[in-house]
Amino acid sequence: MALISLLVISILFSISSAEISGQPGVNYGQLGNNLPAPIISVSLIKSLKAKRVKIYDANPKILKALKNTGIQVSIMVPNELVSNISSNQTFSDYWVQSNVVPFYPQTLIRYLLIGNELISSTGNETWPHIVPAMRRIKHSLRTFRLHKVKVGTPSAMDVLESSFPPSNGTFRNDIAFQVMKPMLKFLHKTRTFFFLDVYPFFPWSSDPTHIDLNYSLFESKNITVTDSGTGLVYTNLFDQMVDAVHFAMKRLGYPEIRIFIAETGWPNGGDLDQVGANIHNAATYNRNFVKKVTKKPPIGTPARPGSVLPSFIFSLFNENLKPGLGSERHFGLLYPNGSRVYEIDLSGKTPESEFAPLPPPENYKGKAWCVVAKGANVTAVQAALSYACSQGNGTCDPIQPGKSCFKPDSVVGHANYAFSSYWAQFRPVGGTCYFNGLATQTARDPSYGSCKFPSVTL
């Protein structure tokens, strides 16, 4: 009898795994002022052989462009609406009626995601609203008979308190029982996925001395990590990160919930001091990821062998308006003009040998300066200049009246010096060349005449 039960469970698991494709999709972000129109973008998505796409809102132009394409679509309730939806069923109904009903089923909307990384990107006053909003939206979907649209919410890896070894995966104390357990109960009841953003680039770049690059790029030939708690052997950082979440869910009593990789990828460029953010590594990571998730039969992860891992690669385009370090603006498979940053086939069917050779993984070595970014708002630059100069250590002495860098006497002229001086002094203790997106790194020495700008050596 026990054997028959196990067989039934195995068959059910096989059916549930087979009902969704492992072929990755792509995240279509829109934080750029130079991106092509949706109709062109959709044709580019097709050219990459993506079977699914995720957008970060419910942009009607994009949803219209995806009509009758056969591409599965995930849309998103913006973070700022989550609290309102959680407390108002009428508002939830209206949102679904306005953003889903007019397009479905000609546009194959399959997932409706509540916010984006809400635990990471909003204050704790929003967190209690996450699961109630998921319930409201699910109720709205039932009201309009949209039974095939599943509800979820993407989480980043920082929902974990501990992640190593993977079997020690544990959700943070401040959210485990208040947010994550009710969320897992909802996902289990509605038979949907835990959506997870997984970026091996970030743990590797924060500790490249102790985390092997090849292990992070799925290129490890003989480097493995053994989980002392389970004996499971890991050959790449991605599996290690995903399984930490599997064990965290198991610890809360939900071992069966499947994971959907909502975002993964590797930057194709970045700031001068961002080692490892280059085209070679981005292509290597994403091509190897495609190989992994399209393999038949599916290989899953050490803790979930044989399971299908549906996924989206981030992102469709390099997005020039994304905030943060330079790498944030360089995750695209495509440049905004539609050309490919490197060759990739999301179906996994093109042999590696057919791709053109990649550029070597070179990292910049030499001096670098920090100057005002092109097009930066002068009023904001003035405030950043004041901040840099307020940090002491003589940061801005040379731009005082009568000193060597006073002229040209302009906000941008003074800020160029102040930003470089600040970065040179405070980089060893975590200071960055960012200033809320107003600054950029350069390898070109901005010094002039007797005015010598401080630099950092990379």
Side-chain angles (χ1 to χ4, degrees):
M1 190 71 182
L3 188 61
I4 293 171
S5 298
L6 283 172
L7 187 60
V8 169
I9 290 168
S10 173
I11 291 168
L12 286 173
F13 183 75
S14 300
I15 291 169
S16 66
S17 295
E19 70 190 16
I20 188 162
S21 169
Q23 186 170 328
V26 66
N27 288 281
Y28 176 4
Q30 301 158 59
L31 294 177
N33 59 12
N34 54 358
L35 303 181
I39 193 71
I40 297 170
S41 298
V42 168
S43 69
L44 292 169
I45 291 168
K46 289 180 185 174
S47 75
L48 292 167
K49 299 181 183 173
K51 294 294 186 185
R52 57 175 73 102
V53 63
K54 173 157 73 76
I55 61 176
Y56 293 83
D57 53 15
N59 186 309
K61 291 181 180 177
I62 295 176
L63 293 177
K64 188 176 179 182
L66 286 162
K67 186 176 178 181
N68 299 322
T69 60
I71 297 172
Q72 290 193 358
V73 182
S74 294
I75 64 174
M76 193 173 287
V77 172
N79 288 5
E80 60 271 18
L81 296 184
V82 170
S83 296
N84 288 342
I85 283 175
S86 77
S87 56
N88 189 327
Q89 189 62 53
T90 302
F91 185 76
S92 175
D93 292 347
Y94 176 77
W95 197 92
V96 169
Q97 187 176 30
S98 303
N99 295 285
V100 184
V101 173
F103 305 100
Y104 186 88
Q106 289 81 9
T107 300
L108 288 178
I109 299 169
R110 284 286 177 262
Y111 301 99
L112 206 171
L113 304 178
I114 309 302
N116 190 45
E117 295 188 354
L118 285 161
I119 300 292
S120 316
S121 60
T122 66
N124 57 10
E125 69 280 355
T126 302
W127 304 347
H129 295 281
I130 298 173
V131 178
M134 295 171 79
R135 293 194 195 107
R136 296 276 189 200
I137 288 289
K138 185 65 181 175
H139 185 277
S140 299
L141 291 168
R142 280 199 297 264
T143 297
F144 294 105
R145 301 183 182 278
L146 302 171
H147 302 295
K148 290 185 177 180
V149 181
K150 298 280 189 178
V151 176
T153 186
S155 297
M157 288 296 298
D158 64 359
V159 295
L160 296 185
E161 184 82 39
S162 59
S163 60
F164 187 82
S167 61
N168 198 38
T170 311
F171 288 115
R172 282 166 27 193
N173 287 333
D174 59 336
I175 59 172
F177 293 98
Q178 296 88 342
V179 182
M180 302 313 295
K181 190 157 188 175
M183 182 190 299
L184 295 175
K185 182 179 180 182
F186 172 87
L187 298 177
H188 176 74
K189 183 180 178 182
T190 58
R191 301 181 66 185
T192 190
F193 294 89
F194 185 93
F195 286 83
L196 181 66
D197 295 350
V198 185
Y199 287 99
F201 170 75
F202 293 117
W204 171 78
S205 62
S206 66
D207 192 11
T209 304
H210 296 104
I211 301 176
D212 184 77
L213 178 60
N214 287 326
Y215 183 75
S216 307
L217 294 172
F218 301 99
E219 288 280 285
S220 176
K221 298 293 184 282
N222 47 24
I223 293 173
T224 59
V225 172
T226 301
D227 187 320
S228 56
T230 60
L232 294 173
V233 177
Y234 290 85
T235 59
N236 64 79
L237 183 54
F238 173 88
D239 282 353
Q240 197 180 305
M241 295 168 74
V242 171
D243 276 357
V245 177
H246 280 141
F247 282 104
M249 293 194 292
K250 183 179 181 180
R251 194 161 265 112
L252 286 184
Y254 292 93
E256 304 294 325
I257 293 173
R258 296 174 292 172
I259 284 178
F260 197 128
I261 305 303
E263 291 183 14
T264 193
W266 194 281
N268 57 62
D271 295 326
L272 294 176
D273 63 347
Q274 288 196 277
V275 176
N278 54 56
I279 289 174
H280 185 281
N281 289 346
T284 300
Y285 178 87
N286 283 331
R287 287 175 182 175
N288 283 337
F289 177 77
V290 171
K291 273 189 221 169
K292 173 186 170 61
V293 296
T294 57
K295 200 161 277 188
K296 293 182 180 177
I299 56 176
T301 65
R304 294 264 185 96
S307 61
V308 174
L309 261 181
S311 61
F312 297 100
I313 290 176
F314 189 86
S315 61
L316 183 58
F317 298 112
N318 281 350
E319 298 169 67
N320 67 346
L321 297 183
K322 280 205 77 184
L325 298 175
S327 57
E328 290 295 315
R329 294 175 287 284
H330 291 86
F331 271 89
L333 301 178
L334 306 174
Y335 294 110
N337 66 6
S339 64
R340 298 194 181 198
V341 179
Y342 47 85
E343 292 179 74
I344 191 165
D345 173 4
L346 298 185
S347 74
K349 292 177 181 175
T350 303
E352 190 93 20
S353 57
E354 291 187 19
F355 293 137
L358 293 168
E362 293 179 347
N363 298 306
Y364 177 75
K365 289 183 174 62
K367 290 185 176 180
W369 293 264
C370 182
V371 296
V372 176
K374 185 178 178 182
N377 179 278
V378 176
T379 303
V381 170
Q382 177 68 69
L385 168 61
S386 299
Y387 169 79
C389 292
S390 71
Q391 301 307 298
N393 283 13
T395 303
C396 294
D397 286 357
I399 57 175
Q400 302 308 310
K403 300 292 185 176
S404 59
C405 299
F406 178 69
K407 292 184 178 179
D409 180 12
S410 69
V411 170
V412 171
H414 288 176
N416 282 336
Y417 181 90
F419 289 177
S420 283
S421 181
Y422 170 89
W423 192 37
Q425 287 186 64
F426 295 103
R427 184 170 181 264
V429 292
T432 64
C433 172
Y434 181 56
F435 293 97
N436 289 326
L438 301 170
T440 186
Q441 296 176 17
T442 180
R444 184 177 177 181
D445 186 353
S447 302
Y448 55 91
S450 60
C451 177
K452 304 300 179 188
F453 279 52
S455 64
V456 301
T457 301
L458 304 178

